Amino acid sequence: MDNSGMLRGLLCLGLVAVLCHGQTSQEVSSEDFGVDRSDVGAERDFIEAMERILGKMHDRVSPPEKRGIQMCGMGDRCAMKFGPRIGKLCDCGRGANCNSYLLKCI
């Protein structure tokens, strides 16, 4: 009995050791990648420049509401049939298309 209890204990200890072996801290520092502190300033400048560029691009691109075409939700009516032609009521959101048979965003 004593040997089987010690064997079970060793097996459990071995299992815990194997399971815990790969776990490490999720925190990452610049030292892990060998980054100098001088590179951090250059990186910050680069990020600020990218933010300025993206801000300018955002001002140039007008959202669909400013162009006069509203956005429809999924399942909303997005077009109307005028005889052989189809007129557009609104634009379907991302990932949706206006079905020309149902005239709804799907």
Side-chain angles (χ1 to χ4, degrees):
M1 279 291 199
D2 193 29
N3 289 337
S4 66
M6 192 171 7
L7 182 62
R8 284 184 192 157
L10 286 174
L11 284 174
C12 289
L13 184 63
L15 181 63
V16 169
V18 168
L19 291 175
C20 295
H21 179 68
Q23 295 180 355
T24 59
S25 174
Q26 296 296 326
E27 295 180 21
V28 178
S29 66
S30 60
E31 295 170 357
D32 294 339
F33 296 108
V35 177
D36 296 349
R37 290 291 176 197
S38 61
D39 291 342
V40 174
E43 193 173 309
R44 187 175 300 125
D45 293 341
F46 177 72
I47 291 172
E48 289 173 1
M50 289 301 291
E51 286 175 349
R52 281 192 302 249
I53 291 170
L54 289 175
K56 289 178 185 176
M57 293 302 292
H58 182 69
D59 294 340
R60 286 186 188 173
V61 177
S62 63
E65 291 83 20
K66 287 185 179 178
R67 292 184 287 167
I69 300 174
Q70 297 176 351
M71 295 296 284
C72 321
M74 189 70 85
D76 291 344
R77 225 179 141 159
C78 58
M80 185 175 278
K81 208 161 192 177
F82 298 110
R85 289 176 277 175
I86 295 177
K88 199 171 199 181
L89 295 176
C90 55
D91 245 351
C92 296
R94 275 197 166 169
N97 292 323
C98 189
N99 187 321
S100 60
Y101 182 72
L102 299 174
L103 304 176
K104 290 186 176 184
C105 288
I106 56 169

